[in-house]
Amino acid sequence: KTVNMQNATESLAWVNNMLWEVHRLAQEEFLVRTRSQTDEWLDKVYGSESVKNQSSEGKLTTSLCEDVFSFSSVQLRTIRERLSKKSDALILAVCIILSHMRSKQVHARDNFLQDLETCCAASNDFTRMSEKCEDMISELMSQCEFSEDMTFTVEATSDELMGVYSSDAVYSARSVHIYVFDPIEEEIGIRLFEEAWEETMVDNDLAISLVRTLEDFHEDLEHYMDDFMVVKSMMSLMSATIIFYAKCLLQRAEKHRNNKRPFFGDVKKALDRMTGDIKVMRDYFEGLVPQMPSLKKNIEKDFEILATIHELMSVAAGFSVSDAEDFILVLQKRVRDVGITKHIVGDLWHLVAPTEERYVWELVESMEEQLMAIAPVDDALALEVNDRSYVKGLRLDEMAVKLYVKSRRNRPIKATAVESIVKNWRTTWSAGAEEGNDEE
């Protein structure tokens, strides 16, 4: 019997196409199932309360790392055993698992940061998860035969996941300042710059109390976290200390409604008291430098804020021969927003020389072109403050905006100008401005 070669060829092609289609559909079904199973176990792990642990040295962790990677390791091992070591489906499945692990971590991180201890435990957990991920991928690569392109794809996906874990570990450690300053705000913030601070606390009692509180928390952090993360926490606490002190001062300007008399009974005494406070706080952080050398570079930068504020107040009160313009420029370099600079400088004058507040507003306005030239608006700021690695509460401009968007104090500026400034702030600091309004 003669074989019709054309028919046979067409039949073979049809069969071949059908097999490829079956293979494609089976692969798609496999990947859909992998995605579904990954989401299911991630939801279960992240949605359950992790077991809290504390080592004999005091380090805090939870079972999150073990819970996540026990599932992922089993899933990867099962997939590896069922598929060829060179399979495209294997690569796709691995990347699906890793990318969904990353997505879950991105969305769930903040749920673990509820107080000081959970921040410390989360920092330790996320560090271990980054290390565990590296080990898991290293093991996978050693047991598979991926092409160079496949290897690059897996490594890129795993690097993204490890980057998220590492960044979140640092974020958690830096976020402890929120919970450290809660009691400080309640116990010290309400008393700072008030009459008793000025009149009777000749030994800078509140600054000493602040430092002792920080010492107690530092001791806890050393027990709870690894040394590297403790340094990250202390850097945040130093910045938070500066912002806290400056905020308390600006809050006094907000509540001072007398445009003829200074807020302080004796301005010279108040400035001297501030000098003592700043020395107490700075000495504490400089005392940490031998065990945390990386703090040294930030001390000068952070404390420059308080030095600038103090010098501007001294100029306003007539106790310094410095040119106000020089220190207004320093402040502008820090906040890079002429509106914020005007408000802060105006408030400092309002505290110690309220009759000259209009003069200093006009002075800053006359310098606007120069201020913008030296320190223009940071175009990348909006992106930075909305990045998930940005830790709130550690910047002077952020703190000032939160105060000023809800300020009710009359300033020597037209209402329409204030509205324009506030509108710009809301655009850049949308989250911070909304939080500020919520607090009213």
Side-chain angles (χ1 to χ4, degrees), residues 73-314:
S73 297
V74 168
Q75 193 174 25
L76 286 178
R77 186 166 59 250
T78 302
I79 291 171
R80 194 174 66 238
E81 290 170 352
R82 291 180 180 177
L83 298 175
S84 162
K85 295 180 178 180
K86 301 179 181 180
S87 168
D88 288 345
L90 175 58
I91 289 289
L92 291 171
V94 170
C95 289
I96 284 172
I97 292 170
L98 295 178
S99 63
H100 281 240
M101 289 171 70
R102 178 186 179 279
S103 177
K104 191 65 180 179
Q105 173 66 20
V106 165
H107 288 96
R109 176 198 66 191
D110 292 351
N111 296 337
F112 297 96
L113 311 179
Q114 302 299 323
D115 53 34
L116 181 109
E117 292 189 1
T118 53
C119 283
C120 294
S123 181
N124 293 334
D125 284 343
F126 299 152
T127 298
R128 294 189 304 127
M129 289 163 82
S130 180
E131 295 166 354
K132 196 77 172 176
C133 180
E134 185 175 14
D135 293 341
M136 182 179 72
I137 296 303
S138 179
E139 180 184 352
L140 175 72
M141 302 297 264
S142 68
Q143 295 177 354
C144 295
E145 300 172 7
F146 297 147
S147 67
E148 187 175 334
D149 287 346
M150 289 178 171
T151 299
F152 177 80
T153 301
V154 172
E155 287 181 345
T157 308
S158 62
D159 284 349
E160 282 190 4
L161 176 58
M162 287 186 284
V164 166
Y165 287 145
S166 297
S167 174
D168 285 356
V170 173
Y171 178 92
S172 302
R174 297 187 68 210
S175 294
V176 301
H177 82 87
I178 298 167
Y179 305 103
V180 169
F181 272 86
D182 274 349
I184 292 173
E185 290 270 8
E186 293 176 5
E187 296 296 324
I188 298 173
I190 59 173
R191 300 160 63 198
L192 204 55
F193 303 113
E194 294 295 343
E195 186 177 350
W197 168 85
E198 179 186 339
E199 294 295 335
T200 63
M201 298 185 183
V202 294
D203 295 321
N204 303 100
D205 307 56
L206 290 181
I208 291 171
S209 178
L210 168 61
V211 163
R212 285 176 179 164
T213 304
L214 292 175
E215 286 174 339
D216 290 341
F217 278 113
H218 179 206
E219 189 174 331
D220 290 338
L221 294 172
E222 287 186 312
H223 281 100
Y224 294 159
M225 287 191 297
D226 293 329
D227 292 345
F228 177 78
M229 291 301 174
V230 173
V231 175
K232 297 294 183 184
S233 294
M234 294 311 297
M235 284 184 174
S236 281
L237 288 175
M238 180 165 65
S239 297
T241 300
I242 304 302
I243 299 307
F244 163 75
Y245 196 83
K247 180 178 73 173
C248 290
L249 182 65
L250 296 179
Q251 284 174 331
R252 302 303 176 262
E254 174 67 24
K255 82 173 194 176
H256 182 53
R257 299 304 169 91
N258 190 313
N259 293 322
K260 299 192 180 299
R261 290 199 305 272
F263 172 77
F264 302 105
D266 185 330
V267 173
K268 181 66 168 65
K269 184 186 291 185
L271 289 170
D272 289 344
R273 189 81 70 245
M274 285 180 66
T275 299
D277 285 350
I278 295 168
K279 184 179 187 306
V280 168
M281 295 184 290
R282 181 164 183 152
D283 285 352
Y284 167 65
F285 288 105
E286 287 185 339
L288 298 175
V289 169
Q291 64 185 102
M292 300 180 187
S294 54
L295 271 182
K296 185 176 178 62
K297 63 181 181 181
N298 287 340
I299 289 176
E300 194 64 42
K301 178 184 173 186
D302 281 358
F303 277 90
E304 181 188 49
I305 292 174
L306 297 187
T308 301
I309 287 173
H310 185 273
E311 188 60 23
L312 283 169
M313 292 173 71
S314 298

Side-chain angles (χ1 to χ4, degrees), residues 282-375:
R282 181 164 183 152
D283 285 352
Y284 167 65
F285 288 105
E286 287 185 339
L288 298 175
V289 169
Q291 64 185 102
M292 300 180 187
S294 54
L295 271 182
K296 185 176 178 62
K297 63 181 181 181
N298 287 340
I299 289 176
E300 194 64 42
K301 178 184 173 186
D302 281 358
F303 277 90
E304 181 188 49
I305 292 174
L306 297 187
T308 301
I309 287 173
H310 185 273
E311 188 60 23
L312 283 169
M313 292 173 71
S314 298
V315 171
F319 297 120
S320 171
V321 295
S322 298
D323 289 331
E325 291 93 330
D326 293 341
F327 289 89
I328 291 170
L329 287 171
V330 173
L331 183 62
Q332 170 66 10
K333 287 178 184 177
R334 198 57 186 253
V335 299
R336 298 184 68 172
D337 184 308
V338 175
I340 295 175
T341 299
K342 286 178 183 176
H343 275 70
I344 292 178
V345 172
D347 277 2
L348 299 181
W349 255 253
H350 183 66
L351 283 167
V352 298
T355 58
E356 299 295 315
E357 185 180 359
R358 179 176 293 279
Y359 154 76
V360 83
W361 269 88
E362 292 171 352
L363 173 63
V364 179
E365 284 181 349
S366 72
M367 297 173 63
E368 189 160 341
E369 189 175 329
Q370 182 184 7
L371 295 174
M372 288 294 291
I374 289 179

Side-chain angles (χ1 to χ4, degrees), residues 1-12:
K1 187 176 180 179
T2 304
V3 177
N4 187 319
M5 292 302 295
Q6 183 177 353
N7 289 342
T9 301
E10 290 175 354
S11 296
L12 284 171

